[in-house]
Amino acid sequence: MLRSFVCYLLPWELFLASFASLYHSFLRLMVTVTQAGDEILTAPTSALRTVQTVPKSISRLVGTISVNGLLATELAMDTSEVRAPWRAVLPTKEDFEESMPLMWHPSLQALLPPASLSLLESQRKKFSFDWAAVSTTFPTLSYDLYLYNWLIVSTRTFYYTSPKIKSKKPLNRDDCLALIPLADDFNHADAGCEVIFSPTGYKICTDRQIEEGEEVYISYGNHSNDFLLAEYGVILEQNRWDEISLDEIILPLFSEEQKRILKEADFLGNFILDKHTVCYRTQVALRLLYEPGTRWQRLVANGLDHEDKDQMTANRTLLKALKCYMDRVDEKLKEIEGLHCGLVSQRETLSRRWKQIRLLLTVSISRIES
């Protein structure tokens, strides 16, 4: 019985030389961990791949590019034998083609839920920006190879800030990235092992007792399934952080003047429904449909009275909107059934996500009606 698995990744060449055996030992982490807090992986900063470790022959030439794009450039151009063991256990291009909406057929992409589709559009813009810089500097680098490595970085990096870099401005989270061999093989769950970052490196520690035969997870964050689908190509059957956007059905209810009032009060959009409730922003915003602006401003300042007449009216409006959304979900499911493009697994993933959305709507509608 192995109590814990701690991989000290220094030096880099020594680590990679024995990577295959270490990786297989890691996959056999189907062991009993006697208590929460056991360290199962340790990675010092010397093992990380960050913007500081990209060779100057790449970083100086490529010009303005995101950190994601720069790391992807190095990965795409790296053919060294010393890193071959790590490359051998990375996802394949086919893995990404199956799971990542960015690589799906346009007809499938068009049927993504609104939140996923919005994230996909953002991904496209980021990738296009990076590819424009890279393709100009390194014209022999193929589009497909670069996209594959760009997705490796975007799906497998950890949050990282170098203690050597002092900045007066708040750092953009999109630029705080590090690749950590072995650590990038943990799958996501809505709760999992604790990832601890310090100036010396990373530690991954168990959050509970883990029984023999269990897979060991970490959490990528408190993300909805729409986020996970667009960013990582997965959806969870059980996700306590799952939620859906209601903007598509709520915003059209308001006039342009009402939208202006909502915007000034910071209540325009970002209307959310989860398995427990419709968010407070939505409830407050809907009251503007039935109250003058000045009276509504007082409501914003003083809070809702959930028992008053106008709130009951707002709830009826919300109920009607949610039922309208249910009809749209059923239409999306029928459209997916009629498609013959892409892979069967892609269509099944898309269908499962819309059915999860329908379940969230059903629960919320029942709650309001009762």
Side-chain angles (χ1 to χ4, degrees), residues 253-263 288-289:
L253 300 176
F254 299 101
S255 67
E256 292 305 312
E257 174 60 18
Q258 287 170 332
K259 288 178 183 178
R260 183 191 65 77
I261 295 172
L262 289 170
K263 185 176 182 179
L288 183 59
L289 295 171

Side-chain angles (χ1 to χ4, degrees), residues 53-106:
T53 65
V54 176
K56 299 298 182 185
S57 58
I58 294 175
S59 59
R60 286 176 178 169
L61 290 176
V62 77
T64 303
I65 192 172
S66 72
V67 172
N68 193 126
L70 185 61
L71 290 172
T73 305
E74 183 200 2
L75 284 180
M77 300 178 68
D78 177 24
T79 58
S80 63
E81 285 300 317
V82 71
R83 290 191 175 114
W86 183 33
R87 289 197 299 271
V89 296
L90 290 172
T92 64
K93 179 174 177 285
E94 290 71 26
D95 291 331
F96 284 133
E97 287 175 343
E98 179 178 4
S99 62
M100 295 298 296
L102 184 61
M103 302 184 78
W104 286 4
H105 190 280

Side-chain angles (χ1 to χ4, degrees), residues 8-12 15 42-50 53 179-181:
Y8 292 94
L9 309 181
L10 181 65
W12 174 255
F15 160 69
T42 300
T45 53
S46 56
L48 312 183
R49 298 181 78 164
T50 70
T53 65
L179 284 161
I180 313 174

